[in-house]
Amino acid sequence: IRERKDVALTAELEAMRKAGVDVAICLSREHLHESGFFKGYVQHVAIERKWDLSKALVFAAGNKAMVKGLKEAAEKLGIGPAAIRLNQ
C-alpha cells in the first residue's frame, strides 16, 4: 500500500501480531519509524531484509507492473511459481 492511512483490516492485523504472527506492512510512499512498517515495495523489502520465503504462499493483487516485479523477485526470495496466486 502507499501510506498508513491506506492500511485495511487494522484490528485483524493487530490480532495476528498478538497471536505471534510477524506482520510486515510495506508502504511505498512514506516511512514510519514503527515496528512492523517498512518503506518500499514488498518484494524489494523482502530481498533487502533477506527474508526466507521458501515456504511462503503469496497472494498478489495489483497492477501488471507490480505482479511483474513480484515474479522477477520470486527466485531471489525462494518462491516457486506454484506458490504464487494472482488476481489475473
Side-chain angles (χ1 to χ4, degrees), residues 51-71:
W51 291 343
D52 177 9
L53 300 178
S54 59
K55 296 179 183 176
L57 181 59
V58 177
F59 293 88
N63 62 46
K64 290 180 182 182
M66 187 277 307
V67 171
K68 181 181 179 207
L70 170 67
K71 287 180 176 180

Side-chain angles (χ1 to χ4, degrees), residues 4-86:
R4 183 178 186 144
K5 68 178 178 59
D6 300 326
V7 176
L9 307 170
T10 54
E12 289 85 348
L13 293 172
E14 188 56 34
M16 290 169 62
R17 282 189 173 123
K18 287 180 180 178
V21 176
D22 187 12
V23 176
I25 300 172
C26 299
L27 306 173
S28 64
R29 292 200 178 162
E30 77 177 315
H31 180 68
L32 302 175
H33 297 284
E34 294 180 39
S35 178
F37 285 89
F38 302 92
K39 170 123 171 63
Y41 295 118
V42 67
Q43 65 268 24
H44 299 149
V45 172
I47 290 169
E48 289 170 8
R49 298 189 167 278
K50 297 179 174 54
W51 291 343
D52 177 9
L53 300 178
S54 59
K55 296 179 183 176
L57 181 59
V58 177
F59 293 88
N63 62 46
K64 290 180 182 182
M66 187 277 307
V67 171
K68 181 181 179 207
L70 170 67
K71 287 180 176 180
E72 290 171 352
E75 185 175 335
K76 293 178 185 176
L77 296 168
I79 301 170
I84 300 174
R85 306 291 191 272
L86 304 175

